[in-house]
Amino acid sequence: SIIAIGILAALADEIRDLIDAMEPGARVHRIGMRDYHEGVLYGHECVIALTRVGKAAAAATTATLLQRFAITRVIFTGVAGGIHAGVKVGDVVIGSETLQHDMDARPLFPRYEVPLLGVSRLTADPELSQQLEHCALRFLAERDSQVHRGLIATGDQFVGNTETGHDLRARLPDALCVEMEGAAVAQVCHEFGIPWAVLRTISDHADSHADIDFLRFLREVASVYSSGILRHYLQT
Ligand code: SAH
């Protein structure tokens, strides 16, 4: 197949507009219970796929994407819970690093370290992240939102109560937001040697209102942000 940019998201609402924006003639490859949409998006060859929720689902999708298609870089887009003080609903977080906040093989390995990989934090591609940050700033120019760049904490847990949110904040004071896929996508891209970036819009504050805020944001604006920012990226 042709050389393409891989675009992933966990939930249909997060990439529906992008799939709809593909030029006619896009092909759908059904592999392992997932659809890989291969086609042209704003002038670029892309493969768009829905990972579903959680680290295993995200890792499996990323591995298939990288094995079956000639992918030059991977962008994961979606929503996340804000945990750092200055990170508000509607803000955008670009992950400079990701970490699995639920990885804990102590005392065999230090907390958060991925056993046998020898690292806890994985670093996003600086150039790709810089470009996405620039596009997010342009997209948000007329909105009352900010763009942040920093650590994203990933785990197989929806953080929807204040206690868990506080605990995360205490354990990882530099984490900007929490989600359920980023570090898994990052790990597979790292292992395949493919540049990656994670772009998250804040849907909730990882507290006791998180479920309601999350659902409202997802329905109303998640796709607008993802597709709006990635459109700027692909068109420049
Ligand atoms: N499909 C279910 C559950 C979604 S889980 C539903 O629609 O209700 C939440 C998704 O959004 C995950 O993909 C995760 O990456 C992200 N997310 C948003 N807010 C989060 C939070 N507070 N904690 C963990 N993940 C969050």
Side-chain angles (χ1 to χ4, degrees), residues 10-11 14 53 79-81 157-159 178-181 200 203-204 206 210 214-215 218:
L11 302 165
E14 294 169 331
V53 176
V79 298
Q157 182 181 29
F158 182 78
V159 181
V178 61
E179 39 87 308
M180 302 175 71
E181 298 83 18
R200 292 281 184 176
S203 56
D204 60 84
F214 160 78
L215 283 174
L218 191 65

Side-chain angles (χ1 to χ4, degrees), residues 7-11 14-15 34 49-54 56-62 76 181 185:
I7 299 175
L8 300 173
L11 302 165
E14 294 169 331
I15 48 167
R34 284 164 182 81
L50 199 67
T51 63
R52 302 206 307 267
V53 176
T61 313
T62 307
F76 189 98
E181 298 83 18
V185 172

Side-chain angles (χ1 to χ4, degrees), residues 14 17-18 42 77 222-232:
E14 294 169 331
D17 291 356
L18 286 175
Y42 303 124
T77 181
S223 192
V224 177
Y225 274 71
S226 288
S227 56
I229 296 168
L230 287 183
R231 182 183 184 155
H232 278 304

Side-chain angles (χ1 to χ4, degrees), residues 1-172:
S1 62
I2 35 80
I3 290 174
I5 301 169
I7 299 175
L8 300 173
L11 302 165
D13 291 291
E14 294 169 331
I15 48 167
R16 197 184 27 237
D17 291 356
L18 286 175
I19 293 172
D20 291 348
M22 285 185 122
E23 286 178 15
R27 293 207 296 151
V28 181
H29 306 261
R30 180 113 186 125
I31 312 165
M33 291 174 68
R34 284 164 182 81
D35 289 335
Y36 297 79
H37 301 259
E38 182 185 30
V40 178
L41 180 65
Y42 303 124
H44 291 262
E45 299 286 346
C46 290
V47 178
I48 308 179
L50 199 67
T51 63
R52 302 206 307 267
V53 176
K55 294 192 294 179
T61 313
T62 307
T64 302
L65 175 77
L66 298 183
Q67 275 185 300
R68 295 289 190 96
F69 304 91
I71 298 296
T72 54
R73 69 206 98 144
V74 173
I75 301 170
F76 189 98
T77 181
V79 298
I83 52 175
H84 204 272
V87 178
K88 307 270 182 276
V89 169
D91 285 1
V92 168
V93 171
I94 316 272
S96 56
E97 295 178 306
T98 58
L99 166 148
Q100 297 182 39
H101 69 75
D102 57 352
M103 175 59 77
D104 190 353
R106 290 177 295 175
L108 301 174
F109 298 91
R111 193 170 194 182
Y112 310 121
E113 183 169 312
V114 181
L116 309 179
L117 190 63
V119 288
S120 55
R121 295 176 181 228
L122 293 171
T123 306
D125 185 67
E127 196 185 321
L128 181 55
S129 303
Q130 183 65 52
Q131 287 165 342
L132 288 172
E133 184 174 345
H134 188 74
C135 296
L137 282 167
R138 275 175 58 196
F139 175 75
L140 293 175
E142 273 120 67
R143 290 163 211 256
D144 186 24
S145 298
Q146 282 186 285
V147 182
H148 311 266
R149 189 132 144 223
L151 176 66
I152 294 181
T154 303
D156 282 325
Q157 182 181 29
F158 182 78
V159 181
N161 67 70
T162 309
E163 211 170 285
T164 313
H166 279 318
D167 172 56
L168 261 182
R169 228 166 273 137
R171 283 196 280 133
L172 298 165

